[in-house]
Amino acid sequence: MTEEHQTLALLLFSAFVAVTLGITTWVSRNRRGSAEEFYAGGRLFSPMENGFAIAGDYMSAASFLGVTGLIALFGYDGLLYVVGFLVAWLVVLFLVAELVRNCGRFTMADVVAARMRERPVRIAAGTSSVTVSVLYLVAQMVGAGSLVALLLGGTSEAARDWTVIGVGALMVIYVSLGGMRATTWIQIVKAVLLLGGTIVLTVLVLVRFHGDVDRLLLTAAERSGHGAAFLAPGLKYGGDWTARFDFISLGLALVLGTAGLPHILSRFYTVPTARAARRSVVWAVGLIGGFYLMTIVLGFGAAAILGPDAVRGSNAAGNTAVPLLALDLGGGAGSTGGTVLFAIVAAVAFATILAVVAGITLASSASVAHDLYASLRRRGGKPRSEVAVARVAAVGVGVVAIALGLLARDLNVAFLVGLAFAVAASANLPVLLYSLFWRGFTTRGAVWAVYGGLIPAVVLVVLSPVVSGSPDSLFPGVDLQYFPLQNPGLVSIPLGFLAGWLGTVTSTEVPDEAKHAETEVRSLTGAGAA
């Protein structure tokens, strides 16, 4: 990239960072310092505001950079991510949003612990939530590194590493100073910027092809080098039975994982009522649906205008397809229009990463403080404020995410998010659904459901081609590959549900009918909700 690109993009980066830090500073001066303020923003957001914030939380670097890149490289098979990410919201809308808002206060563990023994349940759920959050954070860090590598011409590994470190530092500042209220407003600003930028790019792609979508698709297929196969299933996931099972596994993870993501669940506590939570999801589905339809156009547009070879040449995983597409649509390298559009899109993508990172960090630090610390601290000792612990936890989570982000720098961000979704669907979703709908569910069942999904999911990822045994893995020089699938969801999700059932039927604990009745009434009516 030219020096002009770098300067303009860095100025826009700086402007967004300055605005968000200003929001954080303003909020930190006006907060009351209570746990409700830090974790849930005082529950003062309207459904529309929260809907935009949920959309901002969900439309991550995986969506804007990773999914578009996968469509540009693999055509039809890249659409699986779009379908999975969007269909997942039906599960959230009909099974989770309203009930979670009524039963909990700040975290997923609140819902489960309402009718179980608190200590073991909170430890299990807190551990799972932190694991999912860290995996999700790694994807955002990788996206940030890829973006800055492109901005600086891809010549400086040190610049990419320092970018990851800088993003980690900013997310700690956002969470520590501003809590949920600052994070929410950052999400809203980012959602508006991202949707605006995506609309502009989509219109420019369609104008380039005179509104003829057929011509767009045929050109993409022709330039892909795969012909008609580019527009048919199987280019990435149809080679053999292993690839087909990977396809099913990824689909399950994407559709079921959203309802178990800690940073999405925590958003339902920022509105005053369960009805508002449901309306928030309706707003979010509309915004997210429109966004994903546009990413399809951008993905095939990148394939048709740039060609997969150019996309892969810039970043092997395809993470830089959108900024390169913006550069071409604006007039090409060296043109004023190309420079401006590239800089705007790069800044919006960076804003996306910062905002999502802040939301995930807040959710994970809340799990550490509200679930793990509250359960593990010594009885009788002087307890520290949960909010103070959450701020310290944000630093720890940031350090871990930075370290893993540096390690996984060359993997596709959408693929990394698929792993986070698999762990969420395996460990969090079974215990959440059993707690809400199974009258006979017990504490042992809850603990077994979490660990029975979490441990297999993590172990299978470690033993998969993602970590070792192939040239594209994290450790290509090591071979610990004993599990053939890249995504563990096909095996670990059923194991989570099976472990929850097995733990319950083998437990000697008598289910508390009164607590279940109370939880059922509260979840369906909102009576007694926080």
Side-chain angles (χ1 to χ4, degrees), residues 112-183:
V112 184
R115 47 181 290 224
M116 311 290 175
R117 295 199 310 274
E118 284 205 32
R119 184 181 169 89
V121 165
R122 285 194 180 277
I123 292 172
T127 301
S128 172
S129 295
V130 171
T131 304
V132 172
S133 297
V134 168
L135 282 172
Y136 210 112
L137 279 172
V138 170
Q140 312 310 312
M141 299 297 192
V142 170
S146 298
L147 200 60
V148 171
L150 173 65
L151 182 64
L152 300 178
T155 59
S156 176
E157 289 294 332
R160 187 191 295 198
D161 294 346
W162 279 109
T163 301
V164 171
I165 294 169
V167 170
L170 281 170
M171 77 184 187
V172 171
I173 293 171
Y174 291 148
V175 172
S176 300
L177 293 181
M180 178 59 86
R181 189 172 297 188
T183 300

Side-chain angles (χ1 to χ4, degrees), residues 4 23 126 165 169 178 230 267 329 374 439 443 452 457 525:
E4 190 179 0
I23 292 171
I165 294 169
F230 191 71
R267 292 236 60 91
L329 291 171
R439 182 183 298 273
T443 301
T525 66

Side-chain angles (χ1 to χ4, degrees), residues 166-211:
V167 170
L170 281 170
M171 77 184 187
V172 171
I173 293 171
Y174 291 148
V175 172
S176 300
L177 293 181
M180 178 59 86
R181 189 172 297 188
T183 300
T184 299
W185 281 112
I186 291 169
Q187 300 285 15
I188 292 170
V189 171
K190 166 256 172 148
V192 172
L193 290 174
L194 182 60
L195 287 167
T198 308
I199 289 170
V200 170
L201 288 180
T202 302
V203 170
L204 290 175
V205 169
L206 293 176
V207 167
R208 177 72 67 92
F209 290 90
H210 307 290

Side-chain angles (χ1 to χ4, degrees), residues 68-79 216-236 296 299-304 307-309 312:
T68 310
L70 284 173
I71 294 173
L73 296 178
F74 300 106
Y76 184 96
D77 278 12
L79 293 179
L216 166 64
L217 295 176
L218 290 173
T219 305
E222 183 181 339
R223 292 208 61 183
S224 71
H226 298 285
F230 191 71
L231 303 178
L235 195 59
K236 181 174 173 60
I296 296 173
F300 283 111
D309 290 340
R312 197 177 280 109

